Amino acid sequence: MSSLNIAQSIAFSGLAATQVQISVASANISNADTKGYTQKTANQISNVTGGVGTGVTVTGITSTVDKLLLKSLVGATSDLGSANTANNYLTQLEQLYGNTSSASSSTTGTSLANTLASFESALSSLASTPNSASLQANAVSALDAVTAQLQQTSSGIQKLRSNADQDIASSVSDINSDLQQIAGLNAQIKQEAAAGQSTADLEDERNSALQDLSTQMNVSYFTSSSGDLQVYTSTGQALVDSTAHPLSYTPASNVTASTTYSSGGFSGITVNGVDVTSQITSGNVGALITLRDQTLPAAQSQLDELAQQLTASVNAVSNQGTSVPPPATLTGTATTSSSAPLSATGTVRIAVADQNGNLVSYQDLNLASYTTVGALVTAINGISGVSASIDSSGHLTISATGSGNGISINEMTSSVGSSGEGMSDYFGLNDLVTGTGASDIAVRGDILSGAAGLPTATLDSSATLTVGSSVLSSGSATIVNTLQSTLTGSTNFAMAGGLGATTGSFTDYAAAIVANIASKATQASSTYTARQTAQSTYANSLSSETGVNIDEETANLSTLQNKYSAASELIQVINTMFTSLMTAMQSA
């Protein structure tokens, strides 16, 4: 009787173990396409009592994950997140710059180089008839297109920086969700393990959360002896230990070219009050930080170098000229004061002319005679029909006092300041372009609106001038030709945003900027493809090792069904034997 009891116990244990194994196999097949799911195995051992087998017991349901392979996948996932973000942003940046033209046509593209070439073409047309109002308007319009494109591109760069900053805030929110999930799963895993329950599915969820986290930022991690997955920044700042430590970040309300992380314009990403911004070097957030603080500012600095050189070069020429009729008032763009020292040499000619360009009065000033700006203002005020002052904004203003008269300047041999600029250029009295960089470069408002004429004429530089004679050469192409030569000739451009110092025309430098951005975009695309391949390789390797093979599981399920049937038949046989035994005992 006892032997039959033992046999029955063994049969039931086999049946129960097979039921568990069938359940596990079915779950494997059902979750074959579930992200992060790994193949589960029901582990069983033989029960032995007194050296005799007494059945089997399922000790647990587990999955085996190669820790080194998982760590490689986590790192590759972080690299892919970084590459994907960089690729997306640099594609958008490249689009801001427009497309270049073919070598045979410099005006068919939409890039800055093409827009500059259109301005040069407008100047070439104007040179043939410099006093043509329509051709002057065309030239002004073409220059306005250049400055507008510089502004728009600069604005686009700052918009991308603002987007990156907002995306950092969004990613921090996602990171915190992953950290909370990992901490919650840690607690569940310990609870289930303490109750003797399988934690394999929970561990899969936790590994998936870890991979999601690595998409956003680079992390280091290990599993403690208690079963907790502990997560840290690259330098050891705890993100998950016994609990989750969420990141904190506040995006900037407004982003301009002067907004930087180093100056406090962007807040730091903190954990428990510790700034960990510099520790995040990969993942989506790592790329966003690099784009916001390095890549995009580099692009802005290249634009600024182009804008600043263009402003300086164009204004240096425009200050050599005057419009006809001459403006009633010239107001400088440079900031100064009466007490500001004046380091200057040479002679400057300041004249008053009527609307037809006929001389009313003039005087040549020896600039070496004046040691301060105030002394120069006093001297200018000594010219008949002229009033000069420093306005409330700190700008030198020179006006003609007679009705219908205007002011014209010939810089002659004047040399002011360490750069040796002409007197009008130094104070910005007849600037054609205003602004300090690409973000605010613009054609001077009164010229753009037509309230003032393009300064294409020059004031007569003869040794002496006669009152009433024509002294403004409205039909001369000198200024226009000089301006065109300045644009197409050699200009020294300083190193900016990764572009080395170079000498060349403005269209050459603009083309170099566009090519530089295009190269970065191409490199970002190539890097993304390479990272995608690497991550896919690790993911496939992990899947091959720990994922579900449906063919194997289906075959295994068939085998288990046979085992289950065999165990069931064995139980029936034992039950029949029990019945026979009982009948025999009753009839005895």
Side-chain angles (χ1 to χ4, degrees):
M1 187 78 169
S2 60
S3 295
L4 288 178
N5 286 332
I6 293 173
Q8 187 180 51
S9 175
I10 292 173
F12 274 118
S13 71
L15 187 64
T18 304
Q19 285 178 323
V20 173
Q21 290 174 330
I22 289 174
S23 176
V24 170
S26 298
N28 284 340
I29 293 172
S30 298
N31 287 282
D33 294 326
T34 300
K35 179 183 177 182
Y37 184 85
T38 59
Q39 183 180 27
K40 305 300 184 299
T41 302
N43 302 312
Q44 66 180 43
I45 60 172
S46 297
N47 297 328
V48 179
T49 303
V52 178
T54 56
V56 294
T57 299
V58 174
T59 59
I61 299 171
T62 61
S63 63
T64 303
V65 177
D66 188 318
K67 293 181 179 179
L68 291 178
L69 189 54
L70 177 62
K71 190 173 288 291
S72 296
L73 176 59
V74 167
T77 300
S78 185
D79 290 340
L80 177 58
S82 177
N84 182 45
T85 298
N87 182 45
N88 288 338
Y89 268 80
L90 282 166
T91 297
Q92 295 178 65
L93 179 62
E94 183 181 23
Q95 291 170 350
L96 287 177
Y97 284 74
N99 62 288
T100 56
S101 67
S102 63
S104 60
S105 176
S106 63
T107 59
T108 57
T110 60
S111 74
L112 277 168
N114 301 119
T115 311
L116 278 163
S118 295
F119 176 46
E120 293 169 6
S121 178
L123 289 175
S124 179
S125 297
L126 178 60
S128 62
T129 316
N131 59 350
S132 168
S134 62
L135 292 178
Q136 286 190 22
N138 288 342
V140 171
S141 178
L143 177 57
D144 181 52
V146 173
T147 60
Q149 188 168 7
L150 281 166
Q151 279 196 39
Q152 290 165 4
T153 307
S154 174
S155 177
I157 290 172
Q158 298 315 313
K159 176 61 176 175
L160 286 176
R161 294 184 72 214
S162 178
N163 290 347
D165 191 50
Q166 294 294 329
D167 285 348
I168 289 172
S170 178
S171 293
V172 165
S173 178
D174 292 340
I175 287 169
N176 289 338
S177 294
D178 289 332
L179 297 179
Q180 291 292 349
Q181 184 180 7
I182 291 171
L185 288 167
N186 279 343
Q188 285 183 263
I189 288 170
K190 286 194 292 185
Q191 183 178 1
E192 294 295 312
Q197 301 298 314
S198 172
T199 62
D201 285 337
L202 294 174
E203 289 174 21
D204 282 350
E205 289 185 49
R206 192 172 64 180
N207 286 340
S208 292
L210 176 63
Q211 291 179 56
D212 287 341
L213 174 63
S214 68
T215 299
Q216 301 295 344
M217 65 178 289
N218 52 303
V219 294
S220 61
Y221 67 93
F222 72 93
T223 304
S224 68
S225 57
S226 65
D228 280 339
L229 179 66
Q230 301 196 355
V231 185
Y232 299 86
T233 65
S234 60
T235 58
Q237 187 67 37
L239 297 175
V240 179
D241 42 29
S242 59
T243 185
H245 299 277
L247 305 183
S248 295
Y249 185 71
T250 302
S253 58
N254 183 48
V255 177
T256 67
S258 61
T259 308
T260 62
Y261 166 69
S262 59
S263 67
F266 294 115
S267 69
I269 302 172
T270 61
V271 179
N272 296 330
V274 177
D275 191 333
V276 297
T277 306
S278 63
Q279 300 177 38
I280 305 175
T281 57
S282 188
N284 184 38
V285 175
L288 290 169
I289 292 170
T290 299
L291 286 160
R292 185 197 66 184
D293 298 343
Q294 298 178 33
T295 308
L296 294 171
Q300 180 68 49
S301 68
Q302 293 172 4
L303 278 185
D304 285 339
E305 176 63 15
L306 175 61
Q308 289 161 5
Q309 290 292 351
L310 181 65
T311 300
S313 297
V314 168
N315 288 342
V317 177
S318 68
N319 276 282
Q320 297 173 19
T322 181
S323 60
V324 181
T329 299
L330 293 175
T331 301
T333 57
T335 302
T336 188
S337 66
S338 295
S339 59
L342 183 68
S343 175
T345 59
T347 301
V348 64
R349 174 169 290 175
I350 299 176
V352 179
D354 62 21
Q355 296 297 295
N356 296 316
N358 297 320
L359 183 65
V360 175
S361 64
Y362 84 101
Q363 187 172 332
D364 293 341
L365 302 178
N366 181 4
L367 296 179
S369 303
Y370 317 111
T371 58
T372 65
V373 173
L376 175 61
V377 169
T378 299
I380 296 172
N381 275 318
I383 302 173
S384 176
V386 177
S387 173
S389 64
I390 305 296
D391 66 17
S392 59
S393 299
H395 300 147
L396 173 61
T397 299
I398 305 175
S399 301
T401 58
S403 176
N405 293 336
I407 296 291
S408 294
I409 297 176
N410 188 315
E411 293 183 311
M412 306 287 277
T413 61
S414 60
S415 176
V416 186
S418 59
S419 299
E421 299 165 283
M423 182 270 204
S424 182
D425 189 26
Y426 179 81
F427 289 104
L429 289 166
N430 209 9
D431 284 351
L432 178 54
V433 176
T434 62
T436 59
S439 63
D440 61 353
I441 187 173
V443 178
R444 201 175 85 202
D446 57 347
I447 293 177
L448 186 60
S449 67
L454 194 65
T456 56
T458 56
L459 172 61
D460 194 333
S461 61
S462 300
T464 59
L465 302 179
T466 303
V467 173
S469 62
S470 177
V471 292
L472 302 184
S473 54
S474 60
S476 171
T478 301
I479 297 297
V480 177
N481 286 333
T482 301
L483 186 56
Q484 187 175 27
S485 296
T486 298
L487 292 174
T488 58
S490 294
T491 298
N492 295 323
F493 296 94
M495 181 173 63
L499 276 180
T502 186
T503 299
S505 70
F506 280 92
T507 53
D508 288 342
Y509 188 71
I513 290 176
V514 176
N516 179 257
I517 297 301
S519 175
K520 289 181 179 179
T522 299
Q523 180 60 47
S525 178
S526 298
T527 300
Y528 170 67
T529 300
R531 300 300 189 200
Q532 192 175 40
T533 300
Q535 195 272 348
S536 179
T537 299
Y538 284 119
N540 290 337
S541 296
L542 189 63
S543 178
S544 296
E545 185 171 307
T546 63
V548 177
N549 185 313
I550 293 181
D551 291 338
E552 289 182 359
E553 289 297 320
T554 301
N556 184 41
L557 189 59
S558 178
T559 300
L560 291 171
Q561 288 173 336
N562 292 333
K563 287 176 63 179
Y564 188 87
S565 297
S568 297
E569 291 177 3
L570 177 59
I571 291 173
Q572 289 178 358
V573 170
I574 293 172
N575 286 339
T576 300
M577 294 174 68
F578 261 115
T579 301
S580 298
L581 180 60
M582 292 299 295
T583 300
M585 292 178 64
Q586 289 175 357
S587 61

